[in-house]
Amino acid sequence: MGLNLLPKISITIVSHRQVQLVHSLLDDLQQYCTDTPIEVILTVNVEEPLLFGISDYRFPIQIIRNAAPKGFGENHNAAFLLATGEYFCVLNPDIRLTETPFPPLIKNALEADVGLVAPRIVNVEGGQEDSAREFPSRFEIVRKIFGGKSATHADSLNLISNPDWVAGMFMFFPRQVFQKIGGFDERYFLYYEDVDLCARLTLANLRILMCSQVSVVHDARRSSHKNLQYMLLHLTSMFRFFSSDVYQQLRQRSSR
């Protein structure tokens, strides 16, 4: 599939003192996405000098510098306002590519009832990450307090599967879907924005797909497991989700 046949993709990346990781990710996009027209919107959430020049890359890069740190959803929503592509891709700085993931994602996103597509996520050793999961229940809070893990998606090894939600480290949307759904709920400062958005897609009768025929590498750095502040933010977001109208509608839908 040639460059002129692929639609343009807008990629949003937020750096929170992660400029070295961003540099590596941009190099990967330069190396592997030669046949894909892309643009990058890079948000510097905490002031830091860039280690690269935007003219070093064949694709355009727009820089947003925040005067004060913003939350995950607010940053990506702001990037969407600058995006011009037919697809909108949310990428964490600690994602690494070993090939271009986009043609298979586009192919699956073309289906009319698809709201979001994600690749298979593997760790640096090649093992599969738990990036595709079932919707959480209120027992999730108890599990998290005692160090438990979320319920993972049982069919995650199928070439194409339908998890309830996928982690926000790599999310690929048709532009019109992200716009119609209203983007991320900015009341979540950090954590559960991805769960909430996938729940709203489900309530809108749009499918979430995981495309296991393509994979990307995630150098996992789960601060909430090591830092009390992040753990409290995580628990706060969980309580917000479980008390939300979205969660109540989701429960009603699943009980029918």
Side-chain angles (χ1 to χ4, degrees):
M1 190 178 289
L3 177 63
N4 294 329
L5 298 179
L6 282 172
K8 184 177 181 181
I9 300 166
S10 299
I11 299 170
T12 168
I13 305 168
V14 177
S15 176
H16 192 91
R17 295 196 179 101
Q18 298 165 298
V19 67
Q20 291 183 330
L21 293 172
V22 171
H23 193 183
S24 296
L25 176 54
L26 292 175
D27 286 349
D28 288 350
L29 290 168
Q30 176 96 320
Q31 179 178 355
Y32 296 111
C33 300
T34 55
D35 290 334
T36 308
I38 61 175
E39 64 177 358
V40 171
I41 301 104
L42 171 60
T43 301
V44 181
N45 201 33
V46 178
E47 184 57 38
E48 59 182 331
L50 299 181
L51 302 176
F52 52 85
I54 60 175
S55 60
D56 296 342
Y57 297 93
R58 63 166 183 81
F59 44 82
I61 302 174
Q62 298 185 69
I63 307 293
I64 301 173
R65 289 187 178 273
N66 291 339
K70 297 178 181 179
F72 178 94
E74 187 176 2
N75 277 317
H76 290 301
N77 286 350
F80 182 74
L81 297 178
L82 300 177
T84 62
E86 296 173 57
Y87 292 91
F88 185 65
C89 182
V90 174
L91 277 186
N92 269 15
D94 54 4
I95 290 292
R96 297 300 307 271
L97 307 181
T98 58
E99 60 181 332
T100 176
F102 296 117
L105 301 182
I106 292 170
K107 180 180 177 181
N108 286 283
L110 287 172
E111 297 183 31
D113 63 343
V114 170
L116 163 61
V117 186
R120 187 167 68 98
I121 310 292
V122 299
N123 58 34
V124 291
E125 289 80 28
Q128 179 150 328
E129 290 268 293
D130 58 347
S131 61
R133 306 176 188 176
E134 299 176 4
F135 281 128
S137 70
R138 287 192 173 100
F139 293 109
E140 191 86 358
I141 297 175
V142 177
R143 282 206 299 265
K144 287 292 184 182
I145 289 173
F146 290 98
K149 295 184 178 181
S150 303
T152 55
H153 175 52
D155 297 327
S156 58
L157 293 179
N158 293 343
L159 284 181
I160 302 295
S161 59
N162 300 93
D164 287 343
W165 67 280
V166 294
M169 65 187 80
F170 194 126
M171 306 177 96
F172 187 83
F173 304 89
R175 178 185 180 85
Q176 68 273 17
V177 168
F178 192 84
Q179 187 167 27
K180 180 180 179 180
I181 209 71
F184 292 103
D185 186 337
E186 296 180 8
R187 291 174 295 179
Y188 296 88
F189 182 81
L190 190 62
Y191 305 113
Y192 266 67
E193 299 95 337
D194 41 16
V195 183
D196 169 80
L197 188 143
C198 289
R200 287 185 283 121
L201 289 173
T202 298
L203 293 172
N205 297 313
L206 292 168
R207 288 188 295 148
I208 293 96
L209 300 183
M210 190 174 86
C211 179
S212 291
Q213 67 194 95
V214 62
S215 63
V216 299
V217 178
H218 179 226
D219 181 11
R221 304 185 182 195
R222 292 179 175 139
S223 299
S224 61
H225 294 182
K226 304 172 185 177
N227 184 297
L228 180 59
Q229 178 185 3
Y230 285 109
M231 185 63 178
L232 291 174
L233 280 171
H234 202 156
L235 291 173
T236 299
S237 292
M238 291 173 71
F239 279 110
R240 180 182 294 279
F241 177 73
F242 292 129
S243 61
S244 69
D245 291 339
V246 170
Y247 180 68
Q248 299 309 318
Q249 293 174 47
L250 200 63
R251 288 188 67 197
Q252 293 171 11
R253 179 189 178 100
S254 63
S255 64
R256 291 174 189 169

